[in-house]
Amino acid sequence: MKSIFKINPVTYFLLLSILMCGYFNYFVVIFVILFFHEIGHLMMIKLFNEKIKKIEILPFGAIIKMDMQTNIFSIKLFLISSFGIVMQFFLYVPFEYLYNNGVMNDLTYQIFLTYNKFIILFNIMPVVPLDGSKVLGSILEMIIPYKLNLKLINIVSVFVIVVFLSINDFNLSLIVIECFLVMETLKLIRNHNYIFNSFLLERYLYNIEHKRVKRVRSIKNIYKNYYNFINNIRERDVLMAKFKPFN
């Protein structure tokens, strides 16, 4: 049976660098932080009965690819995307307890405080494919058209990467991570139209409906969390005209 787990080469590079430098405490603490971060995501995925296709382990967390509809409710997407960071905040409780009771030394505790904060701040950046971009997207798609949301996520992601690159003082580890983020953002930009058409096709194939109604002028302005009337024509009829010839 094919494993759903994959370790990104960047992760191997950074973790081996840590071990070769003798920073075993760093390795253990970072592993614990990332483990609980992903447990947070997996708890929400399990709660909503979503299926996991692949888990790719990255230096700052993991990319969990799910067999999930693009039209998943925005609140579900928000909870799945944000709960990894939520679990990191819960981690402060056991670490504080161990430190205050003398079980954990000062160095290990300081490593935890530094890297837990760093991984939280890093993951909330609205950059593809970090949690921050998914959280931001899940919020924006509740108030703006889905296609516009995709464009804004691309723009914000590029802007944040440029800022991030400008403040990097040639740290090799950060440069490797930045290169990865650039490639992922470019991939999303290239697949922009494919993602939007997949979004529309799902609504057609599964006849997705919502109680709330939104009236729009074009199919490009369709909202994810509404049943749309496009120029006073039912969404279903517009989608049938678009996709039925391909059946």
Side-chain angles (χ1 to χ4, degrees):
M1 184 178 179
K2 188 177 180 180
S3 173
I4 64 171
F5 289 94
K6 175 186 176 183
I7 300 179
N8 189 278
V10 178
T11 306
Y12 279 121
F13 170 78
L14 292 177
L15 292 181
L16 284 174
S17 298
I18 291 172
L19 288 175
M20 289 175 66
C21 293
Y23 297 135
F24 185 72
N25 280 7
Y26 288 81
F27 180 87
V28 172
V29 171
I30 293 172
F31 175 82
V32 170
I33 293 170
L34 296 182
F35 176 78
F36 275 86
H37 179 99
E38 299 313 321
I39 286 294
H41 291 311
L42 294 174
M43 284 170 55
M44 289 296 104
I45 291 170
K46 183 69 174 177
L47 178 65
F48 296 127
N49 294 317
E50 299 291 342
K51 294 182 179 179
I52 298 171
K53 295 171 65 177
K54 185 174 73 172
I55 300 176
E56 184 174 2
I57 309 299
L58 301 170
F60 44 82
I63 296 178
I64 302 175
K65 294 186 178 180
M66 296 174 286
D67 189 12
M68 179 179 70
Q69 290 187 4
T70 310
N71 282 275
I72 183 175
F73 285 115
S74 296
I75 187 62
K76 289 184 179 180
L77 180 60
F78 175 85
L79 290 172
I80 290 172
S81 302
S82 64
F83 223 75
I85 296 169
V86 171
M87 285 297 289
Q88 283 186 246
F89 283 105
F90 286 146
L91 259 183
Y92 281 101
V93 176
F95 271 82
E96 286 281 350
Y97 176 82
L98 293 173
Y99 177 68
N100 292 332
N101 286 275
V103 179
M104 181 181 297
N105 61 40
D106 188 64
L107 175 60
T108 303
Y109 181 64
Q110 291 303 319
I111 292 171
F112 165 73
L113 291 180
T114 300
Y115 281 89
N116 198 47
K117 183 188 296 184
F118 172 79
I119 294 172
I120 288 173
L121 293 175
F122 192 79
N123 273 283
I124 64 175
M125 290 197 309
V127 177
V128 178
L130 303 180
D131 295 335
S133 70
K134 298 171 186 175
V135 170
L136 177 61
S138 67
I139 295 171
L140 288 177
E141 66 188 21
M142 289 191 275
I143 55 178
I144 64 175
Y146 186 73
K147 190 176 181 67
L148 177 59
N149 173 55
L150 292 177
K151 289 181 178 179
L152 283 178
I153 293 300
N154 290 338
I155 293 170
V156 171
S157 186
V158 170
F159 175 77
V160 174
I161 287 175
V162 170
V163 173
F164 196 53
L165 285 169
S166 68
I167 62 175
N168 184 4
D169 56 352
F170 297 102
N171 182 295
L172 179 59
S173 298
L174 289 180
I175 290 174
V176 172
I177 294 173
E178 288 163 357
C179 290
F180 170 78
L181 295 178
V182 169
M183 288 189 293
E184 289 296 313
T185 299
L186 291 176
K187 187 189 301 183
L188 180 65
I189 293 172
R190 287 197 302 269
N191 293 334
H192 175 88
N193 289 328
Y194 171 79
I195 295 170
F196 181 66
N197 285 320
S198 297
F199 162 76
L200 295 177
L201 182 59
E202 274 185 9
R203 295 177 80 90
Y204 167 67
L205 292 176
Y206 301 109
N207 196 19
I208 295 174
E209 296 190 11
H210 295 275
K211 292 182 180 180
R212 296 184 299 173
V213 173
K214 181 72 71 172
R215 298 184 181 276
V216 298
R217 294 183 177 180
S218 166
I219 196 170
K220 293 180 180 180
N221 302 123
I222 196 168
Y223 284 75
K224 179 179 179 179
N225 298 286
Y226 291 84
Y227 187 80
N228 298 264
F229 277 80
I230 300 124
N231 287 326
N232 293 322
I233 302 174
R234 292 171 65 249
E235 174 185 320
R236 179 66 181 170
D237 295 334
V238 174
L239 293 176
M240 284 183 66
K242 180 177 178 64
F243 292 112
K244 196 170 183 179
F246 298 100
N247 288 351

